[in-house]
């Protein structure tokens, strides 16, 4: 299980959204893969950022595939329920909290609004299967997962990401994780202060 929280590494996700929105403009279907989503905090942060930056028509065309492997922790149930204790939401800017969360049935908890929930598709997936859950993604986000893998495993996972991305699409990774030399030719870094890359080649 990857440890994460709402609004974690927001600058990188903002960069990713800005680049991807321009890239995906005009597409009837915009696909994002959040690989290693854990309990959904990162997934719904991504959804909030896109909802803020995209027009309503474009946002309705967005689908975020949220995946993780550890079924023992009921990730899928938590992501689909989209209900979190208020303590976990205090990093969320007030204007976003008021816009994208509503009181839940459980005291002290809030639920993500349907506008965002409807854009999320959760499925269990093992990155080390090296088989992506889909293809033609405009953006793949993978943070705080690859550090748990062996070096050679990371190389193969990056190759899978490259294959899963549409030509010229984007990959956002953990800021402390550099691209292995073996796959550096597959991606071009697009901003100097974040691990955000553009796919090179078809």
């Amino acid at each position: 299980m990857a440890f994460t929280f709402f609004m974690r590494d927001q600058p990188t996700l903002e960069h990713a959204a800005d680049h991807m929105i321009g890239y995906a403009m005009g597409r009837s279907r915009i696909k994002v893969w959040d690989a290693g989503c854990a309990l959904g905090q990162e997934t719904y942060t991504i959804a909030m950022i896109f909802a803020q930056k995209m027009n309503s028509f474009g946002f309705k065309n967005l689908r975020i595939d949220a995946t993780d492997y550890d079924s023992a922790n009921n990730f899928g149930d938590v992501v689909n329920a989209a209900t979190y204790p208020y303590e976990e939401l205090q990093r969320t800017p007030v204007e976003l909290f008021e816009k994208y969360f509503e009181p839940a049935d459980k005291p002290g908890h809030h639920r993500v609004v349907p506008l965002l929930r409807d854009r999320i598709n959760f499925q269990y997936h093992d990155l080390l299967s090296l088989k992506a859950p889909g293809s033609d993604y405009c953006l793949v986000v993978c943070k705080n997962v690859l550090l748990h893998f062996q070096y050679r495993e990371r190389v193969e996972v990056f190759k899978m990401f490259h294959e899963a991305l549409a030509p010229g699409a984007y990959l956002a990774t953990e800021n402390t994780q550099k691209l292995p030399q073996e796959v550096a030719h597959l991606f071009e870094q697009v901003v100097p202060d974040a691990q955000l890359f553009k796919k090179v080649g078809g």
Side-chain angles (χ1 to χ4, degrees):
M1 175 179 175
F3 171 76
T4 191
F5 48 83
F6 280 95
M7 312 314 291
R8 178 176 182 267
D9 201 8
Q10 183 179 352
T12 295
L13 298 178
E14 297 269 1
H15 282 309
D18 290 337
H19 281 78
M20 196 217 76
I21 290 169
Y23 164 82
M25 192 175 298
R27 283 180 172 242
S28 59
R29 188 168 160 180
I30 302 170
K31 295 172 62 180
V32 173
W33 177 16
D34 184 21
C37 68
L39 297 173
Q41 298 95 333
E42 180 177 84
T43 304
Y44 288 113
T45 296
I46 293 169
M48 279 189 278
I49 290 172
F50 275 108
Q52 287 293 103
K53 291 178 176 288
M54 299 177 82
N55 60 42
S56 58
F57 177 78
F59 189 69
K60 287 181 181 178
N61 291 335
L62 178 72
R63 187 188 80 186
I64 301 176
D65 287 336
T67 69
D68 214 307
Y69 178 62
D70 193 350
S71 59
N73 281 296
N74 301 315
F75 289 163
D77 293 342
V78 176
V79 174
N80 289 325
T83 299
Y84 301 91
Y86 178 70
E87 291 74 21
E88 288 191 26
L89 305 174
Q90 293 183 7
R91 289 186 177 90
T92 306
V94 173
E95 65 274 17
L96 299 185
F97 174 76
E98 293 178 347
K99 187 174 183 179
Y100 296 118
F101 292 88
E102 57 192 10
D105 294 337
K106 188 176 181 180
H109 287 64
H110 290 75
R111 191 180 193 197
V112 179
V113 297
L115 176 72
L116 303 190
R117 297 202 314 269
D118 291 347
R119 306 270 60 81
I120 309 302
N121 172 52
F122 176 86
Q123 57 184 296
Y124 290 104
H125 176 264
D126 182 2
L127 285 174
L128 294 180
S129 72
L130 303 180
K131 296 179 180 179
S135 60
D136 201 37
Y137 287 105
C138 296
L139 172 67
V140 172
V141 177
C142 185
K143 292 181 160 293
N144 205 33
V145 176
L146 295 176
L147 74 167
H148 299 294
F149 294 168
Q150 299 297 319
Y151 183 85
R152 289 303 312 173
E153 293 172 335
R154 291 200 295 273
V155 169
E156 296 305 314
V157 170
F158 276 116
K159 289 179 181 177
M160 174 183 62
F161 289 156
H162 183 268
E163 185 175 340
L165 286 164
Y170 293 91
L171 169 68
T173 67
E174 178 67 42
N175 282 339
T176 59
Q177 291 290 307
K178 306 302 181 185
L179 279 181
Q181 184 177 356
E182 292 89 339
V183 295
H185 66 288
L186 298 178
F187 300 95
E188 173 189 352
Q189 191 165 1
V190 295
V191 290
D193 56 343
Q195 293 292 97
L196 177 64
F197 303 91
K198 183 176 182 178
K199 174 177 175 173
V200 174

